[in-house]
Amino acid sequence: MRQVVVVGAGPVGLTAALLLARRGVGVLLLERHAEPYPLPRAVHLDDEAFRALQAAGVADAVAAVSRPMAGMRLVDGRLRTLAEFPRRAEDAVHGWPPGVLFRQPDVEAVLRAAVAGTPGIELRTGCRVTGLVQDAERVRLAVDGGFVDAAFVLGCDGAGSTVRELVGARLRDLARPDRWLVVDARWPAAPPVWPGVHQVSDRQRAATFMPIAGDRFRWEFRLRPGETAETVDLTALLTPWGATDVEVERAAAYEYRAAVADRWRVGRVLLAGDAAHLTPPFIGQGLGLGLRDVHQLAWKLAAVLSGQAGDGLLDTYAAERAPHARALIRVATLLGALMTGGGRAGEAARRAALAVVRRLPAAAALAGSSRTPALRRGPLVGRARAAGALVPQPEVLVGGRRCRLDDVLGDGWALLTTGGPELRVPTGEPVRVVRLGVDVGSPELAAWLAGRSVLVRPDRIVAATGSRRSLGRP
């Protein structure tokens, strides 16, 4: 019997397999497509999501096929700048650029190469999951006329998830769907452009433009009622950008949805990525949400499979991740409406919002930030102000060598302290004690700790802080 079967070999499923294998969990990865999907889909990740890729051992390779994103410009229908929200490298707190742009096929190639070189992972392509039954001990999947047994199944099979359907979970919409035309193109003769996202706020036709990587660019245009990818005048849409000599790779209509699954765990089956949630693209969190899912789920599954934690630990997955996903999806929906809403009401709302931004520099800084809401308080998140958020990742000095903090913390629980271990791990798992000034040196970390002891979870979320604070067992 397999320990974990991951259904879906997109970026989220591939990352899940790498995270599990690095913890000694055997993984069978099933993908219904015989070959990797060749066209772009996701194009953005922030520095928080890069912490998951770092834990999977692929962050440097992904960064090498990405380009830093300068931030976002809000422009009018004549492409004149209304406001700019920069993302500056010097403001990053997680050891990676605060935002990057990339082609998904390039990232998937990096992940597949890592999977191929990682013991403990078997990838099967061109196979379809057609059935699922489970009991208290195992899950049995029907796969192309045969059967596969596993202790747990992780459904990372996208928006049209077969796994979600087989366990009877449903997506619940948080807002009305919105139809957009997505255009991916090569533009070798493109003039120099600002290397960030351009959001067109025009009541006649909202749009988005971004330089992806190399000579590849993406446009997104809101479709009007009755318009389709086949009937819209693509040349007329691209002409204002001067893009009359592009090689279009894809022009397809997409329905942007805001939705969250009503159940993320059904027995021994768990959902992650687009199988669990769908978000409009306006804050670029679609793939990032999925990577955060599996960064958390990998250590919890490994702890349960190794016997270090009870099965109840898996109940904390949806309890933590679902509210976080809903919060980000609602932010994306709200900002999308604010930036692209049509009619006079939409223009009035934008004028009011821009007036606030111009008066308050802190509002502009927040708009350009990559930080996401902290996880809610619960069995694995204490009451401290820092709890529920990622621990910062400054560069630290270890034995005369500079490295990133996560590489020192290891794969499990860690206690950052200026003294002895004072906080216990709520799941009973082992903890690595990292003493500031003895094991590592970092003025940035010292300033952030401010004399506290900080308990850090394996997904780099702060669980608790303080000299005497502790958490109860789940």
Side-chain angles (χ1 to χ4, degrees), residues 140-420:
R140 170 161 285 185
L141 293 173
V143 183
D144 286 344
F147 297 96
V148 174
D149 291 340
F152 292 97
V153 168
L154 180 51
C156 300
D157 49 342
S161 172
T162 298
V163 174
R164 186 182 65 231
E165 180 181 353
L166 289 172
V167 297
R170 297 288 183 269
L171 287 175
R172 304 300 185 192
D173 287 321
L174 303 180
R176 290 191 303 175
D178 199 10
R179 294 176 60 252
W180 287 65
L181 179 73
V182 176
V183 181
D184 288 297
R186 300 189 68 173
W187 192 8
V193 297
W194 186 68
V197 175
H198 302 67
Q199 183 63 58
V200 180
S201 294
D202 179 15
R203 64 177 180 173
Q204 300 301 320
R205 173 90 71 179
T208 308
F209 166 72
M210 63 197 85
I212 303 301
D215 63 355
R216 286 182 162 87
F217 296 78
R218 170 173 288 185
W219 289 264
E220 300 171 2
F221 302 97
R222 174 174 279 141
L223 289 172
R224 297 167 181 163
E227 284 185 330
T228 68
E230 293 73 29
T231 62
V232 72
D233 187 345
L234 184 56
T235 300
L237 294 178
L238 296 176
T239 296
W241 302 90
T244 57
D245 53 350
V246 300
E247 175 191 336
V248 175
E249 293 183 302
R250 174 184 60 166
Y254 279 80
E255 186 176 71
Y256 292 162
R257 290 184 64 188
V260 177
D262 56 1
R263 290 183 292 172
W264 292 41
R265 180 190 182 190
V266 179
R268 291 179 167 270
V269 180
L270 301 110
L271 303 176
D274 285 355
H277 42 70
L278 298 173
T279 180
F282 300 109
I283 57 173
Q285 287 294 333
L287 177 54
L289 277 171
L291 294 181
R292 290 176 176 88
D293 293 344
V294 296
H295 194 192
Q296 177 181 138
L297 191 51
W299 72 263
K300 292 182 176 180
L301 276 170
V304 171
L305 286 165
S306 68
Q308 291 182 321
D311 179 81
L313 178 63
L314 298 179
D315 290 331
T316 66
Y317 167 59
E320 292 184 341
R321 289 297 309 137
H324 185 261
R326 286 192 193 95
L328 277 179
I329 292 168
R330 288 190 173 111
V331 169
T333 302
L334 176 62
L335 288 182
L338 182 62
M339 294 187 298
T340 70
R344 298 185 184 278
E347 289 187 349
R350 279 190 288 276
R351 285 196 299 269
L354 288 174
V356 171
V357 168
R358 293 187 181 106
R359 288 197 308 269
L360 301 174
L366 182 62
S369 172
S370 63
R371 298 184 187 181
T372 67
L375 299 183
R376 292 181 179 177
R377 178 185 166 195
L380 304 177
V381 177
R383 299 179 180 179
R385 182 176 180 181
L390 283 168
V391 64
Q393 183 178 215
E395 192 177 64
V396 297
L397 190 65
V398 180
R401 179 177 62 91
R402 294 193 175 278
C403 59
R404 297 185 179 98
L405 177 62
D406 287 1
D407 298 332
V408 179
L409 299 182
D411 292 332
W413 289 80
L415 182 73
L416 286 172
T417 182
T418 54

